[in-house]
Amino acid sequence: MEAKNNGKCSTAYPMNGGDGPYSYANNSIFQRILIDCTKEIISMSILEKLEITPSKSFWIADLGCSIGPNTFYAVKTLIESLKLKYQTNSSKLLPQFQVFFNDHTSNDFNMLFKSLPEDRGYYAAGVPGSFYGRIFPDASLHLVHSSFTLHWLSQVPKEVNDKSSLAWNKGRVYYSNSKNDDQVIKAYKNQHEKDMTMFLKARAQEIVFGGLMMLIVLGIPNGIHHSESGGNKSFELIGSCLNDMVQKGIVSEEKVDSFNIPIYLMSPQEFEKSVNENGSFSIERLDVLPHVKVINGVGLNSHQITFCMRSTLGELIKQHFGEEIIDKLFDLYLQKVEEIHPTSIIESLKTLNFLAVLKRNN
């Protein structure tokens, strides 16, 4: 039974837990802004596309929920839209809404549930396990949401850590600035395609016919080379800092050679290809979201960029190199960001955030 493999088909890359200055909870406002941008589209899609049948319960899942608060903002929109949907359909009784918050077992679920909204209008439960495998029973979910998760690979491509492979990514931590550029990109792309196949296959089994899946994806525009993709400058700086630490004898060269960031940014075309190959979903909408360069009217400064990077990659780096290098690494990262100026990083990010609304076909 596939459920026995829950959480074992994917490596965990948890965000920084807790509520401290480097926590993901306090450094994910960019994601929250884009989640807010999707509210109208999500509400309209639920009203127009979701098929509902009389039932006492309605099951919702947020995949890759992390520790909040963004997952709660997203779920609030879903619940409000569903209530309006049922009212529009002249349903006398609302079903009981059950929301499942899913992430890896290493996620800080304690922090997540400590901050659950009190007046939320739904029952809440945590479901541990990788969404690259089965985590729910057959045809049990009516609505699935996930934001800023599918760029994380289930694992680092094996070839990039294989010294005998043409894709060995020696001295670099990402695919965008590799000497063996095309081979490394190919390895990352192949891993991503395998992951998307597993993700869509699992969801096709778990979502009821007529149900919806809403995915906010961090990607790249169609037609640009991956060397131009968003995040390059930020990830290159991480690699530069690690190589500086090799020169200072703080970390070993071998450790750096075996470290690669497991992130791949797909284009809308790549996304559509994966969905079409799966065949179980129709793409009801695919909307490009605004490009956020400022927060509360002010551009990101070097400390915000560094804190954001630390909240996202800190645990991953700690797993590989140990906790003792984290402060030194990000102090050095901050210095480098200040040297090149934060605006140069923001302007270099050729990212494309898009919302995809998928419907489970009959």
Side-chain angles (χ1 to χ4, degrees), residues 7-145:
K8 297 182 180 180
C9 62
S10 175
T11 304
Y13 311 115
M15 304 295 99
N16 277 8
D19 58 358
Y22 308 124
S23 68
Y24 185 76
N26 288 322
N27 291 281
S28 56
I29 191 170
F30 164 81
Q31 291 91 328
R32 191 237 170 129
I33 290 172
L34 286 173
I35 288 172
D36 284 343
C37 289
T38 67
K39 290 173 69 173
E40 185 176 338
I41 300 171
I42 284 176
S43 295
M44 189 179 303
S45 297
I46 288 175
L47 284 171
E48 296 178 354
K49 304 295 183 181
L50 178 67
E51 296 180 21
I52 58 174
T53 56
S55 176
K56 290 184 178 181
S57 61
F58 189 100
W59 284 21
I60 304 165
D62 189 56
L63 307 181
C65 63
S66 191
I67 60 175
N70 292 340
T71 185
F72 304 132
Y73 295 129
V75 169
K76 182 181 179 182
T77 296
L78 299 179
I79 296 296
E80 289 175 349
S81 302
L82 285 166
K83 288 180 178 179
L84 182 59
K85 170 77 172 182
Y86 277 89
Q87 291 168 4
T88 303
N89 282 17
S90 300
S91 297
K92 294 181 180 180
L93 293 176
L94 286 175
Q96 298 179 77
F97 296 113
Q98 172 71 62
V99 178
F100 298 98
F101 295 94
N102 156 258
D103 214 313
H104 284 281
T105 55
S106 54
N107 185 56
D108 189 351
F109 281 101
N110 286 333
M111 177 64 189
L112 175 75
F113 289 118
K114 280 180 183 177
S115 53
L116 262 176
E118 291 185 10
D119 185 20
R120 55 184 177 269
Y122 57 85
Y123 295 96
V127 178
S130 167
F131 58 52
Y132 287 122
R134 287 292 303 277
I135 43 182
F136 296 99
D138 289 346
S140 59
L141 299 177
H142 302 90
L143 187 59
V144 169
H145 178 274

Side-chain angles (χ1 to χ4, degrees), residues 197-212:
T197 297
M198 292 191 296
F199 177 84
L200 291 168
K201 179 181 178 182
R203 302 297 82 76
Q205 293 170 293
E206 295 168 350
I207 298 174
V208 301
F209 291 128
L212 295 182

Side-chain angles (χ1 to χ4, degrees), residues 189-312:
K189 180 179 176 66
N190 288 343
Q191 182 62 54
H192 171 262
E193 289 176 347
K194 292 176 186 176
D195 289 346
M196 283 298 294
T197 297
M198 292 191 296
F199 177 84
L200 291 168
K201 179 181 178 182
R203 302 297 82 76
Q205 293 170 293
E206 295 168 350
I207 298 174
V208 301
F209 291 128
L212 295 182
M213 179 158 58
M214 299 171 173
L215 307 170
I216 302 177
V217 180
L218 173 61
I220 59 172
N222 292 327
I224 76 164
H225 192 269
H226 281 281
S227 61
E228 302 177 75
S229 71
N232 289 1
K233 180 68 72 174
S234 296
F235 296 150
E236 286 171 14
L237 285 182
I238 290 289
S240 174
C241 292
L242 288 170
N243 282 311
D244 286 352
M245 295 175 81
V246 169
Q247 297 302 316
K248 295 176 182 178
I250 299 173
V251 298
S252 70
E253 182 178 3
E254 184 179 4
K255 273 286 188 181
V256 175
D257 288 346
S258 61
F259 178 72
N260 288 273
I261 296 171
I263 287 176
Y264 179 86
L265 303 185
M266 64 174 146
S267 67
Q269 285 180 343
E270 289 176 300
F271 177 82
E272 291 181 64
K273 179 175 179 288
S274 293
V275 174
N276 291 336
E277 287 178 351
N278 173 268
S280 298
F281 297 94
S282 59
I283 300 176
E284 300 296 321
R285 294 193 62 148
L286 203 158
D287 292 77
V288 174
L289 302 177
H291 187 56
V292 178
K293 293 185 179 182
V294 297
I295 294 176
N296 296 327
V298 180
L300 289 174
N301 61 44
S302 54
H303 283 85
Q304 288 172 318
I305 291 173
T306 302
F307 280 26
C308 180
M309 188 61 63
R310 182 165 179 167
S311 74
T312 304

Side-chain angles (χ1 to χ4, degrees), residues 294-353:
V294 297
I295 294 176
N296 296 327
V298 180
L300 289 174
N301 61 44
S302 54
H303 283 85
Q304 288 172 318
I305 291 173
T306 302
F307 280 26
C308 180
M309 188 61 63
R310 182 165 179 167
S311 74
T312 304
L313 295 183
E315 287 297 318
L316 174 68
I317 294 170
K318 188 189 302 184
Q319 287 177 4
H320 190 83
F321 293 97
E323 187 172 4
E324 61 275 7
I325 78 157
I326 299 298
D327 287 338
K328 292 178 182 178
L329 173 65
F330 285 101
D331 285 346
L332 185 56
Y333 185 88
L334 175 61
Q335 292 175 20
K336 289 180 180 285
V337 173
E338 289 177 336
E339 287 172 3
I340 64 174
H341 202 272
T343 54
S344 68
I345 292 182
I346 301 300
E347 294 299 330
S348 71
L349 300 186
K350 290 189 177 180
T351 54
L352 179 76
N353 300 289

